[in-house]
Amino acid sequence: MPHLTASADARRIAGGEQLGFGVPGYAHPLLAPAEWAELARPGTPLHWAVLNIADGPGSRPDPHCLEAAGRLRNARERALHGEAPDDTVRASGGRLLGHLDLAHGERPFDELIADARSFIDWYRIGGFYLARCPADRAGLPAVRRLTGTLHALLAESDSADGGGRLVLGHGTHPYPGYAEAADQLVTFQGPWTDYRWSQVAEWTADYPPERFAHFVHGVPRTHLEEAMRVARWQGAGTIFFTDRNDRDGRSGQSDPFAALPSYWDEIVSRIGPGISE
């Protein structure tokens, strides 16, 4: 049984919260065509997926990424504005987020904004995933400045309905002030062997599950239900679980999140269809 904080709100133990997927970064569409196709499949409970060409948008528009971005954008349009808004077999309307690498606060502000503009202009993304985001108190002012500017850019874009979405990729529990700097925080990223015994920071109980995401690799099929119980108890509304790990050669990728887990269809059916407004 995982070690969990005793002060968690009752919503964490009810098990009724609707989980959905956040995809931290599939491989290039040429290397992972099945993965990108699944994102737009009707019934996939997708909250968002990250587009990462070369630790950012790359130097020019990529035709394969343009096609993948267009398919996901069209799926969202069908989901949000289709003729049958209560039809649960349609695509779930996930957003496409551009990958911005903050390098733990080392990248210049102007470089990040230039990358952000390229993502918006070329791929019409609906938000940003801020990878390797600082987690300490000292890094918060710079992150607030960045997220404020990104929200303004997205508000000006005709592709970011609802003002866009910003996700901070800490991978751990950050200083609590970060919760007010973005729409969602990634508060766990790591192996199942750590996740099943993990503890949630008490301050997260003040926020609803849609504010937190967990990414866990090395989750055996036999432990899927347990992993989802941990996510619900700890108040995470967005997840990505995979049986792959960082030494898995099956996908040809060192990143365990770059390809589908072997039990993708099963975990989709366990979570069920949904829609991200």
Side-chain angles (χ1 to χ4, degrees):
M1 178 70 182
H3 298 297
L4 303 165
T5 55
S7 61
D9 190 272
R11 64 179 168 78
R12 300 181 186 277
I13 63 174
E17 297 293 343
Q18 178 68 42
L19 293 174
F21 296 121
V23 180
Y26 281 152
H28 189 280
L30 273 179
L31 299 176
E35 282 76 1
W36 284 97
E38 283 295 313
L39 296 182
R41 187 178 75 170
T44 301
L46 179 69
H47 290 169
W48 47 263
V50 177
L51 179 64
N52 182 13
I53 293 89
D55 284 330
S59 58
R60 61 182 63 85
D62 182 303
H64 303 287
C65 293
L66 286 169
E67 182 180 359
R71 284 200 302 268
L72 189 58
R73 189 165 54 248
N74 289 339
R76 179 172 175 80
E77 284 296 313
R78 290 194 300 271
L80 296 179
H81 307 296
E83 294 181 359
D86 296 323
D87 181 4
T88 57
V89 300
R90 63 204 168 130
S92 66
R95 297 176 187 268
L96 184 67
L97 308 182
H99 176 104
L100 298 178
D101 184 0
L102 272 60
H104 306 295
E106 296 299 317
R107 284 198 67 199
F109 176 84
D110 291 345
E111 278 187 17
L112 292 166
I113 296 303
D115 280 357
R117 291 184 185 279
S118 294
F119 266 123
I120 292 172
D121 292 344
W122 298 342
Y123 300 107
R124 298 183 62 204
I125 47 83
F128 293 100
Y129 180 80
L130 279 57
R132 297 201 292 170
C133 184
D136 59 356
R137 184 173 184 174
L140 180 56
V143 172
R144 278 180 171 161
R145 179 192 179 202
L146 176 62
T147 57
T149 304
L150 293 176
H151 269 307
L153 291 176
L154 289 166
E156 296 172 359
S157 169
D158 61 358
S159 64
D161 54 285
R165 187 167 188 82
L166 299 182
V167 179
L168 303 184
H170 305 286
T172 188
H173 287 97
Y175 176 72
Y178 283 94
E180 303 304 323
D183 301 291
Q184 192 173 57
L185 313 180
V186 179
T187 53
F188 185 93
Q189 181 167 338
W192 166 243
T193 50
D194 291 343
Y195 187 60
R196 68 183 308 190
W197 306 113
S198 63
Q199 294 183 334
V200 63
E202 291 188 7
W203 63 263
T204 63
D206 294 333
Y207 297 90
E210 60 263 27
R211 300 298 302 279
F212 303 104
H214 292 170
F215 303 143
V216 190
H217 61 79
V219 181
R221 180 189 299 269
T222 53
H223 288 278
L224 267 180
E225 190 61 40
E226 180 184 357
M228 286 191 282
R229 283 200 303 270
V230 175
R232 288 188 173 104
W233 180 281
Q234 294 197 5
T238 301
I239 61 168
F240 192 86
F241 296 157
T242 180
D243 53 342
R244 302 180 187 277
N245 57 60
D246 54 10
R247 297 176 301 280
D248 193 340
R250 287 178 295 169
S251 64
Q253 298 283 336
S254 59
D255 181 355
F257 303 111
L260 287 172
S262 66
Y263 44 62
W264 173 254
D265 287 340
E266 180 177 345
I267 193 171
V268 168
S269 66
R270 282 173 179 256
I271 292 177
I275 184 163
S276 173
E277 295 292 353

Short mmCIF file of all heavy atoms in Angstrom, two decimals, residues 119-152:
data_model
loop_
_atom_site.label_atom_id
_atom_site.label_comp_id
_atom_site.label_asym_id
_atom_site.label_seq_id
_atom_site.Cartn_x
_atom_site.Cartn_y
_atom_site.Cartn_z
N PHE A 119 6.05 28.14 -32.56
CA PHE A 119 5.03 27.11 -32.34
C PHE A 119 3.65 27.64 -32.70
O PHE A 119 2.85 26.94 -33.36
CB PHE A 119 5.04 26.67 -30.87
CG PHE A 119 5.88 25.47 -30.58
CD1 PHE A 119 6.90 25.54 -29.64
CD2 PHE A 119 5.65 24.26 -31.22
CE1 PHE A 119 7.68 24.43 -29.35
CE2 PHE A 119 6.43 23.14 -30.93
CZ PHE A 119 7.44 23.23 -30.00
N ILE A 120 3.34 28.85 -32.29
CA ILE A 120 2.01 29.42 -32.57
C ILE A 120 1.83 29.68 -34.06
O ILE A 120 0.80 29.32 -34.65
CB ILE A 120 1.81 30.71 -31.76
CG1 ILE A 120 1.71 30.41 -30.27
CG2 ILE A 120 0.56 31.45 -32.24
CD1 ILE A 120 1.70 31.65 -29.38
N ASP A 121 2.84 30.27 -34.68
CA ASP A 121 2.73 30.63 -36.09
C ASP A 121 2.68 29.40 -36.99
O ASP A 121 1.93 29.37 -37.98
CB ASP A 121 3.91 31.52 -36.50
CG ASP A 121 3.86 32.89 -35.84
OD1 ASP A 121 2.79 33.26 -35.31
OD2 ASP A 121 4.90 33.59 -35.84
N TRP A 122 3.49 28.39 -36.70
CA TRP A 122 3.61 27.23 -37.59
C TRP A 122 2.57 26.16 -37.30
O TRP A 122 2.00 25.58 -38.22
CB TRP A 122 5.00 26.61 -37.48
CG TRP A 122 6.11 27.52 -37.89
CD1 TRP A 122 6.01 28.66 -38.62
CD2 TRP A 122 7.50 27.38 -37.56
NE1 TRP A 122 7.25 29.24 -38.78
CE2 TRP A 122 8.19 28.48 -38.14
CE3 TRP A 122 8.24 26.45 -36.84
CZ2 TRP A 122 9.56 28.64 -38.02
CZ3 TRP A 122 9.61 26.61 -36.71
CH2 TRP A 122 10.26 27.70 -37.31
N TYR A 123 2.35 25.86 -36.02
CA TYR A 123 1.55 24.68 -35.66
C TYR A 123 0.22 25.01 -34.99
O TYR A 123 -0.54 24.10 -34.69
CB TYR A 123 2.37 23.76 -34.74
CG TYR A 123 3.63 23.27 -35.42
CD1 TYR A 123 4.87 23.77 -35.04
CD2 TYR A 123 3.58 22.34 -36.45
CE1 TYR A 123 6.04 23.35 -35.66
CE2 TYR A 123 4.74 21.91 -37.08
CZ TYR A 123 5.96 22.42 -36.68
OH TYR A 123 7.11 22.00 -37.30
N ARG A 124 -0.03 26.29 -34.74
CA ARG A 124 -1.30 26.73 -34.14
C ARG A 124 -1.61 25.93 -32.88
O ARG A 124 -2.72 25.44 -32.69
CB ARG A 124 -2.43 26.61 -35.16
CG ARG A 124 -2.25 27.47 -36.40
CD ARG A 124 -3.44 27.35 -37.31
NE ARG A 124 -4.66 27.83 -36.67
CZ ARG A 124 -5.88 27.45 -37.00
NH1 ARG A 124 -6.06 26.56 -37.97
NH2 ARG A 124 -6.95 27.93 -36.36
N ILE A 125 -0.61 25.81 -32.02
CA ILE A 125 -0.76 25.02 -30.81
C ILE A 125 -1.75 25.69 -29.84
O ILE A 125 -2.05 26.88 -29.97
CB ILE A 125 0.61 24.78 -30.12
CG1 ILE A 125 1.43 26.07 -30.00
CG2 ILE A 125 1.41 23.76 -30.92
CD1 ILE A 125 1.11 26.91 -28.87
N GLY A 126 -2.24 24.90 -28.87
CA GLY A 126 -3.22 25.39 -27.93
C GLY A 126 -2.67 25.60 -26.53
O GLY A 126 -3.43 25.67 -25.57
N GLY A 127 -1.34 25.71 -26.43
CA GLY A 127 -0.72 25.92 -25.13
C GLY A 127 0.73 25.48 -25.15
O GLY A 127 1.28 25.17 -26.21
N PHE A 128 1.35 25.41 -23.97
CA PHE A 128 2.76 25.06 -23.89
C PHE A 128 3.03 24.14 -22.70
O PHE A 128 2.39 24.26 -21.64
CB PHE A 128 3.63 26.32 -23.73
CG PHE A 128 3.63 27.20 -24.94
CD1 PHE A 128 2.83 28.33 -24.99
CD2 PHE A 128 4.40 26.88 -26.05
CE1 PHE A 128 2.81 29.14 -26.10
CE2 PHE A 128 4.38 27.68 -27.18
CZ PHE A 128 3.59 28.81 -27.20
N TYR A 129 3.99 23.25 -22.92
CA TYR A 129 4.53 22.40 -21.87
C TYR A 129 5.92 22.91 -21.55
O TYR A 129 6.81 22.90 -22.41
CB TYR A 129 4.58 20.94 -22.33
CG TYR A 129 5.14 19.99 -21.29
CD1 TYR A 129 4.32 19.54 -20.26
CD2 TYR A 129 6.46 19.56 -21.35
CE1 TYR A 129 4.82 18.67 -19.31
CE2 TYR A 129 6.95 18.69 -20.40
CZ TYR A 129 6.13 18.24 -19.38
OH TYR A 129 6.62 17.38 -18.43
N LEU A 130 6.12 23.38 -20.33
CA LEU A 130 7.40 23.97 -19.93
C LEU A 130 8.25 22.90 -19.25
O LEU A 130 8.16 22.68 -18.03
CB LEU A 130 7.18 25.17 -19.00
CG LEU A 130 6.81 26.50 -19.70
CD1 LEU A 130 5.57 26.37 -20.56
CD2 LEU A 130 6.61 27.61 -18.66
N ALA A 131 9.06 22.20 -20.05
CA ALA A 131 9.88 21.10 -19.57
C ALA A 131 11.04 21.60 -18.72
O ALA A 131 11.52 22.72 -18.91
CB ALA A 131 10.41 20.29 -20.74
N ARG A 132 11.48 20.75 -17.80
CA ARG A 132 12.59 21.07 -16.89
C ARG A 132 12.39 22.44 -16.24
O ARG A 132 13.27 23.28 -16.18
CB ARG A 132 13.93 21.00 -17.62
CG ARG A 132 14.25 19.60 -18.13
CD ARG A 132 15.73 19.42 -18.39
NE ARG A 132 16.21 20.23 -19.51
CZ ARG A 132 17.50 20.39 -19.80
NH1 ARG A 132 18.43 19.81 -19.07
NH2 ARG A 132 17.86 21.12 -20.84
N CYS A 133 11.15 22.62 -15.75
CA CYS A 133 10.80 23.87 -15.08
C CYS A 133 11.42 23.91 -13.70
O CYS A 133 11.42 22.91 -12.98
CB CYS A 133 9.28 23.97 -14.98
SG CYS A 133 8.69 25.52 -14.27
N PRO A 134 11.96 25.05 -13.28
CA PRO A 134 12.46 25.16 -11.90
C PRO A 134 11.36 24.82 -10.91
O PRO A 134 10.16 25.01 -11.19
CB PRO A 134 12.87 26.63 -11.79
CG PRO A 134 13.11 27.08 -13.20
CD PRO A 134 12.14 26.30 -14.04
N ALA A 135 11.76 24.34 -9.74
CA ALA A 135 10.79 23.97 -8.72
C ALA A 135 10.99 24.73 -7.41
O ALA A 135 10.14 24.67 -6.52
CB ALA A 135 10.86 22.47 -8.45
N ASP A 136 12.09 25.49 -7.30
CA ASP A 136 12.38 26.17 -6.04
C ASP A 136 11.77 27.57 -6.03
O ASP A 136 11.35 28.10 -7.05
CB ASP A 136 13.89 26.24 -5.79
CG ASP A 136 14.65 26.97 -6.89
OD1 ASP A 136 14.02 27.35 -7.90
OD2 ASP A 136 15.86 27.15 -6.75
N ARG A 137 11.75 28.16 -4.85
CA ARG A 137 11.14 29.48 -4.70
C ARG A 137 11.89 30.54 -5.50
O ARG A 137 11.27 31.46 -6.06
CB ARG A 137 11.12 29.86 -3.21
CG ARG A 137 10.42 31.17 -2.91
CD ARG A 137 10.30 31.39 -1.41
NE ARG A 137 9.55 32.59 -1.11
CZ ARG A 137 9.19 32.96 0.12
NH1 ARG A 137 9.52 32.20 1.17
NH2 ARG A 137 8.50 34.08 0.31
N ALA A 138 13.21 30.41 -5.58
CA ALA A 138 14.01 31.42 -6.29
C ALA A 138 13.67 31.51 -7.77
O ALA A 138 13.79 32.57 -8.38
CB ALA A 138 15.50 31.11 -6.10
N GLY A 139 13.24 30.39 -8.36
CA GLY A 139 12.94 30.39 -9.79
C GLY A 139 11.55 30.88 -10.13
O GLY A 139 11.23 31.09 -11.32
N LEU A 140 10.70 31.08 -9.12
CA LEU A 140 9.30 31.42 -9.37
C LEU A 140 9.09 32.75 -10.08
O LEU A 140 8.29 32.81 -11.03
CB LEU A 140 8.53 31.39 -8.05
CG LEU A 140 7.04 31.72 -8.13
CD1 LEU A 140 6.32 30.81 -9.11
CD2 LEU A 140 6.41 31.62 -6.73
N PRO A 141 9.76 33.85 -9.71
CA PRO A 141 9.50 35.12 -10.42
C PRO A 141 9.74 35.04 -11.93
O PRO A 141 8.95 35.57 -12.72
CB PRO A 141 10.46 36.10 -9.75
CG PRO A 141 10.67 35.54 -8.38
CD PRO A 141 10.66 34.06 -8.56
N ALA A 142 10.82 34.38 -12.35
CA ALA A 142 11.10 34.27 -13.77
C ALA A 142 10.05 33.42 -14.47
O ALA A 142 9.65 33.72 -15.61
CB ALA A 142 12.50 33.68 -13.98
N VAL A 143 9.60 32.37 -13.82
CA VAL A 143 8.57 31.52 -14.42
C VAL A 143 7.25 32.29 -14.52
O VAL A 143 6.54 32.19 -15.52
CB VAL A 143 8.40 30.21 -13.61
CG1 VAL A 143 7.19 29.42 -14.11
CG2 VAL A 143 9.66 29.36 -13.73
N ARG A 144 6.93 33.07 -13.50
CA ARG A 144 5.72 33.88 -13.57
C ARG A 144 5.78 34.88 -14.72
O ARG A 144 4.78 35.09 -15.43
CB ARG A 144 5.53 34.63 -12.25
CG ARG A 144 4.89 33.82 -11.14
CD ARG A 144 4.76 34.64 -9.89
NE ARG A 144 3.97 33.99 -8.86
CZ ARG A 144 4.00 34.32 -7.59
NH1 ARG A 144 4.78 35.31 -7.18
NH2 ARG A 144 3.26 33.68 -6.71
N ARG A 145 6.93 35.50 -14.91
CA ARG A 145 7.08 36.43 -16.03
C ARG A 145 6.86 35.71 -17.35
O ARG A 145 6.16 36.21 -18.25
CB ARG A 145 8.48 37.06 -15.99
CG ARG A 145 8.74 38.02 -17.14
CD ARG A 145 10.20 38.38 -17.25
NE ARG A 145 10.45 39.28 -18.37
CZ ARG A 145 11.62 39.43 -18.96
NH1 ARG A 145 12.68 38.74 -18.52
NH2 ARG A 145 11.78 40.28 -19.98
N LEU A 146 7.45 34.51 -17.48
CA LEU A 146 7.32 33.75 -18.71
C LEU A 146 5.89 33.32 -18.95
O LEU A 146 5.35 33.51 -20.06
CB LEU A 146 8.24 32.53 -18.66
CG LEU A 146 8.16 31.57 -19.85
CD1 LEU A 146 8.56 32.27 -21.14
CD2 LEU A 146 9.03 30.34 -19.61
N THR A 147 5.23 32.74 -17.94
CA THR A 147 3.87 32.26 -18.16
C THR A 147 2.89 33.41 -18.42
O THR A 147 1.95 33.26 -19.21
CB THR A 147 3.38 31.42 -16.96
OG1 THR A 147 3.47 32.20 -15.75
CG2 THR A 147 4.22 30.17 -16.80
N GLY A 148 3.13 34.55 -17.80
CA GLY A 148 2.29 35.71 -18.10
C GLY A 148 2.40 36.13 -19.55
O GLY A 148 1.39 36.44 -20.21
N THR A 149 3.62 36.12 -20.08
CA THR A 149 3.83 36.48 -21.49
C THR A 149 3.24 35.44 -22.41
O THR A 149 2.62 35.77 -23.44
CB THR A 149 5.34 36.66 -21.76
OG1 THR A 149 5.89 37.62 -20.86
CG2 THR A 149 5.57 37.12 -23.20
N LEU A 150 3.40 34.15 -22.07
CA LEU A 150 2.85 33.08 -22.90
C LEU A 150 1.33 33.14 -22.93
O LEU A 150 0.71 32.95 -23.99
CB LEU A 150 3.31 31.72 -22.38
CG LEU A 150 4.81 31.42 -22.51
CD1 LEU A 150 5.14 30.07 -21.86
CD2 LEU A 150 5.26 31.43 -23.98
N HIS A 151 0.70 33.41 -21.81
CA HIS A 151 -0.76 33.55 -21.80
C HIS A 151 -1.20 34.70 -22.71
O HIS A 151 -2.21 34.59 -23.42
CB HIS A 151 -1.26 33.79 -20.38
CG HIS A 151 -1.60 32.55 -19.62
ND1 HIS A 151 -2.46 31.59 -20.11
CD2 HIS A 151 -1.20 32.10 -18.39
CE1 HIS A 151 -2.59 30.61 -19.24
NE2 HIS A 151 -1.83 30.89 -18.18
N ALA A 152 -0.44 35.78 -22.70
CA ALA A 152 -0.78 36.91 -23.56
C ALA A 152 -0.64 36.54 -25.04
O ALA A 152 -1.50 36.90 -25.87
CB ALA A 152 0.11 38.11 -23.23
#
